[in-house]
Amino acid sequence: MNKNLEKYINSPIDYDKDGNLVCNGHEIMYQYELPLMKYIADTIVHRGGSVLNVGYGLGFFDKRVQEIGVRNHVIMECHPEVVASIDIPEATIYVGPWQENIDTLINNDAKFDCIFFDTFTFSDDDLYEEQYKFLDYCKQLLNNRGKVSLFTWP
C-alpha cells in the first residue's frame, strides 16, 4: 500500500471550523464542493441506474445519488472514520482502499452505469497510483455506454 495512503487511513480525521474534512493538516474535502458534486451527480447519474463511487469524503455526491434514485449504489471508502459517518443504508459499502476491493467487484461481474472516482491524492506519484491505475479497471466495470468521471484537485 502507498505510504501516504496508509498514513491517511491510520490517522484520525477532523473537521475544521467550516466543516471541511481534514487529516494530518491536509484538507481532504471542502464544503464549497457541494454544488460541484451535485452537478456531477446530475450529469452522470440517472434514475434507476447503477453507481459506483470510489471515495466518500463528505458524502455530497452519494447523498445526491440517493435523491436521484438508483437501483444499485456502491461506495468504496478507505478511511474507517469516514466509513463510520456514512448514513446511506441503501448503499453497499466496501471498506478499505479500492485496490483491496476492486477484484471482488470484478469477480462478481459487477457492472455500473456510471463510476465516480474522487480519492484524495497527496502527490503527483499518488495521482498515478490512484486514478490512472483505476482507469485500467473501468472497462470491466462499466455497462455498455457507461460513464466514468474522475475528480482531480490540482
Side-chain angles (χ1 to χ4, degrees), residues 61-79:
F61 177 83
D62 295 286
K63 290 170 187 167
R64 181 64 187 136
V65 165
Q66 287 300 306
E67 290 170 0
I68 292 169
V70 295
R71 67 177 160 70
N72 185 23
H73 185 179
V74 175
I75 300 168
M76 288 186 175
E77 172 56 49
C78 67
H79 199 288

Side-chain angles (χ1 to χ4, degrees), residues 29 53 55-59 62-63 75-77 82 85-86 88:
M29 188 167 190
N53 179 27
Y56 183 79
L58 292 169
D62 295 286
K63 290 170 187 167
I75 300 168
M76 288 186 175
E77 172 56 49
V82 173
S85 75
I86 298 174
I88 302 179

Side-chain angles (χ1 to χ4, degrees), residues 47-128:
R47 177 172 289 289
S50 56
V51 176
L52 168 62
N53 179 27
V54 181
Y56 183 79
L58 292 169
F60 299 148
F61 177 83
D62 295 286
K63 290 170 187 167
R64 181 64 187 136
V65 165
Q66 287 300 306
E67 290 170 0
I68 292 169
V70 295
R71 67 177 160 70
N72 185 23
H73 185 179
V74 175
I75 300 168
M76 288 186 175
E77 172 56 49
C78 67
H79 199 288
E81 289 180 55
V82 173
V83 169
S85 75
I86 298 174
D87 186 21
I88 302 179
E90 301 84 2
T92 301
I93 301 169
Y94 288 81
V95 181
W98 67 264
Q99 296 91 334
E100 295 176 5
N101 291 297
I102 198 74
D103 286 337
T104 301
L105 291 178
I106 291 169
N107 291 338
N108 290 330
D109 200 32
K111 298 287 185 188
F112 300 94
D113 297 316
C114 69
I115 298 171
F116 182 53
F117 190 93
D118 180 11
T119 63
F120 188 80
T121 52
F122 296 92
S123 71
D124 288 342
D125 290 339
D126 293 343
L127 181 65
Y128 173 79

